[in-house]
Amino acid sequence: MDEIQHSKGSESIWPTLWRGWRRRCPNCGTGQMLRGYLTVRDSCPVCREDLHHHRADDGPAYLTILIVGHLMAPLLMVVFTTFRPEPLVLFTIFGVGCVALSLYLLPRLKGAIVAFQWVRGMHGFAPHT
């Protein structure tokens, strides 16, 4: 299992963020980072990397709101001005779209934030010596 371990100092940020986006361990990329929908495991089940140091807090929720709002608001305006649908139809379609996109993005953004903290050595994720 030692061959899976990476040195955080030599780790590139983009592959690590991609592992986090896929909700995988930022160290090995194999083990599941999340237990359930949003609960981060204390350690990776494959490489035993400690993950309990993370401080994602409200960051994933803020980023989700930011992304969903910036995607849906212009789309709502375009659809309303172009097609003029009934208000109930418009509300239903965009309500379901906002909820679905939020549910999709939230765990992925949480994984990416934890991976970012891991690769930068933040909040107790110290580099290996």
Side-chain angles (χ1 to χ4, degrees):
M1 236 180 263
D2 290 327
E3 64 272 9
I4 297 176
Q5 297 289 337
H6 299 289
S7 172
K8 292 180 200 171
S10 66
E11 193 69 29
S12 175
I13 193 166
W14 294 112
T16 306
L17 287 178
W18 178 244
R19 287 185 216 130
W21 176 264
R22 290 182 7 235
R23 296 163 295 164
R24 303 287 181 186
C25 171
N27 185 40
C28 67
T30 307
Q32 289 287 330
M33 181 190 305
L34 301 179
R35 176 184 60 230
Y37 184 64
L38 286 177
T39 306
V40 178
R41 295 178 187 270
D42 288 336
S43 62
C44 174
V46 176
C47 69
R48 302 291 182 223
E49 176 73 23
D50 285 332
L51 300 172
H52 63 85
H53 301 292
H54 79 89
R55 295 290 176 257
D57 300 331
D58 292 334
Y62 288 128
L63 286 176
T64 299
I65 291 168
L66 182 77
I67 292 169
V68 170
H70 279 81
L71 289 176
M72 290 303 215
L75 187 61
L76 177 67
M77 188 180 88
V78 168
V79 168
F80 180 74
T81 57
T82 305
F83 302 110
R84 297 285 181 180
E86 292 293 321
L88 189 57
V89 172
L90 192 67
F91 170 75
T92 303
I93 290 171
F94 278 91
V96 169
C98 285
V99 169
L101 187 58
S102 296
L103 290 174
Y104 175 79
L105 288 176
L106 193 57
R108 285 156 180 79
L109 289 171
K110 183 158 190 173
I113 287 175
V114 172
F116 180 79
Q117 291 174 359
W118 180 86
V119 78
R120 293 294 186 193
M122 299 165 66
H123 307 296
F125 288 118
H128 295 296
T129 56

